[in-house]
Amino acid sequence: MALMITDECINCDVCEPECPNEAIFQGEEIYEIDPNRCTQCIGHFETAQCIEVCPVDCIILDPQHPETDQQLRAKYERLTQAA
């Protein structure tokens, strides 16, 4: 699954630079994650880096975008080929 940021986000700015896929961006009120770019860091790291650095634990699995690890890896492959 892609990740999402809940409204508990405090806009601390630490997650955005950690995302290797540039999926995190400043939304109207809080940071948001583009599900088309989020791979939970599969292909880059062992764990999702945004979750690792978030001080308020407001990054969760996005139930609106269910994906298997295989689908996330395929997305990673697609994103890195375009780069």
Side-chain angles (χ1 to χ4, degrees), residues 9-30:
C9 176
I10 59 171
N11 289 310
C12 67
D13 303 321
V14 298
C15 62
E16 183 182 26
E18 296 300 319
C19 181
N21 295 320
E22 298 179 352
I24 300 174
F25 61 97
Q26 179 64 53
E28 286 187 37
E29 295 183 24
I30 60 172

Side-chain angles (χ1 to χ4, degrees), residues 4-69:
M4 66 178 282
I5 299 175
T6 68
D7 60 5
E8 294 173 14
C9 176
I10 59 171
N11 289 310
C12 67
D13 303 321
V14 298
C15 62
E16 183 182 26
E18 296 300 319
C19 181
N21 295 320
E22 298 179 352
I24 300 174
F25 61 97
Q26 179 64 53
E28 286 187 37
E29 295 183 24
I30 60 172
Y31 277 91
E32 297 179 24
I33 298 177
D34 179 349
N36 296 314
R37 298 192 65 80
C38 178
T39 63
Q40 292 185 44
C41 290
I42 286 179
H44 293 284
F45 300 102
E46 293 292 319
T47 60
Q49 297 301 286
C50 59
I51 291 174
E52 293 290 324
V53 299
C54 181
V56 293
D57 297 325
C58 67
I59 303 172
I60 61 171
L61 292 174
D62 184 348
Q64 299 298 316
H65 296 93
E67 295 171 292
T68 65
D69 284 355

